[in-house]
Amino acid sequence: DAGITQSPRYKITETGRQVTLMCHQTWSHSYMFWYRQDLGHGLRLIYYSAAADITDKGEVPDGYVVSRSKTENFPLTLESATRSQTSVYFCASGKGYNEQFFGPGTRLTVL
Amino acid sequence: QQQVKQSPQSLIVQKGGISIINCAYENTAFDYFPWYQQFPGKGPALLIAIRPDVSEKKEGRFTISFNKSAKQFSLHIMDSQPGDSATYFCAASGSNDYKLSFGAGTTVTVRA
């Protein structure tokens, strides 16, 4: 099915572990984004990508790593998870600036 | 520092009433102002958007009012329905920047 998917939808991990959140879109959109959503902060941009092999830091990049070897995939890795990274993570894609299409989110809990 | 300030944090309105959410920005380079709607357990979805060349845009029961001189814009939900209960985010971006800056969100509850 066309769209944007995220996996896993729910994840519980422990402090210090590495976690990778997956994002896949079938629209061939050039632009992809990772946000975290926390109460009182809205959506904060972690990393974004304008095309394959082009990534850049957003507002809150510390502790996260991204890669984009293929246009359709944009994984987000927490290298050593901390409790402060407990959040809901949204991936989004877009074909230019303006409208972004969001995935269903991944709820991550770091114990 | 949040580039877009949104208020109120939450509001409760009776069915048939008007919900009003306000946003303010400082960056004069912003020229695209969308509103996103998010239901529990779902990702945000574009609801309506406006550019500074118009002062108002209406789509069904949803209206954006834009005041360029005050650097403010607002969302009005007319004849609010229980199905409108959701979190609403305002956002902004500039023509030379494809990133969106989001407000903190407003949770709207419509009581039947």
Side-chain angles (χ1 to χ4, degrees):
Chain A
D1 289 344
I4 184 166
T5 56
Q6 294 183 235
S7 61
R9 294 293 314 279
Y10 302 90
K11 177 73 176 178
I12 299 175
T13 191
E14 295 178 336
T15 301
R17 291 192 180 268
Q18 183 180 80
V19 177
T20 295
L21 309 184
M22 305 301 292
C23 179
H24 176 76
Q25 54 104 353
T26 61
W27 292 303
S28 299
H29 286 163
S30 296
Y31 299 93
M32 295 190 74
F33 309 84
W34 273 107
Y35 295 89
R36 61 177 290 172
Q37 183 175 20
D38 305 287
L39 193 64
H41 292 279
L43 292 154
R44 292 183 291 175
L45 183 64
I46 304 171
Y47 269 95
Y48 59 102
S49 170
D53 297 322
I54 301 175
T55 62
D56 209 344
K57 296 179 180 179
E59 184 185 350
V60 288
D62 293 344
Y64 303 95
V65 174
V66 294
S67 62
R68 195 167 175 206
S69 58
K70 293 184 178 181
T71 299
E72 61 268 29
N73 297 324
F74 192 37
L76 175 73
T77 297
L78 288 67
E79 294 187 298
S80 179
T82 65
R83 290 199 179 93
S84 65
Q85 292 177 310
T86 292
S87 186
V88 181
Y89 291 86
F90 287 100
C91 178
S93 71
K95 53 187 174 183
Y97 87 108
N98 294 348
E99 182 172 6
Q100 295 181 16
F101 299 86
F102 284 78
T106 294
R107 183 174 294 275
L108 176 68
T109 302
V110 183
L111 301 176
Chain B
Q1 181 183 354
Q2 207 147 30
Q3 294 199 59
V4 180
K5 290 182 170 39
Q6 183 172 347
S7 63
Q9 187 174 12
S10 63
L11 67 89
I12 299 172
V13 63
Q14 292 296 121
K15 179 181 177 181
I18 302 173
S19 304
I20 302 175
I21 306 169
N22 300 300
C23 286
Y25 65 97
E26 288 297 326
N27 189 342
T28 55
F30 286 157
D31 66 354
Y32 173 69
F33 303 90
W35 285 88
Y36 280 76
Q37 180 187 53
Q38 183 183 29
F39 294 105
K42 305 291 185 182
L46 180 66
L47 181 65
I48 186 173
I50 196 169
R51 295 193 183 276
D53 51 343
V54 296
S55 60
E56 185 175 282
K57 183 174 182 180
K58 185 176 181 179
E59 287 186 5
R61 296 182 293 103
F62 299 90
T63 299
I64 299 179
S65 297
F66 184 79
N67 185 329
K68 188 174 182 178
S69 60
K71 292 185 283 187
Q72 296 176 347
F73 58 110
S74 60
L75 177 70
H76 295 232
I77 306 173
M78 313 300 287
D79 186 26
S80 296
Q81 299 297 311
D84 298 332
S85 296
T87 299
Y88 294 82
F89 294 95
C90 61
S93 71
S95 58
N96 61 348
D97 185 1
Y98 53 85
K99 304 190 300 294
L100 286 170
S101 295
F102 283 88
T106 298
T107 300
V108 174
T109 302
V110 182
R111 295 260 165 88

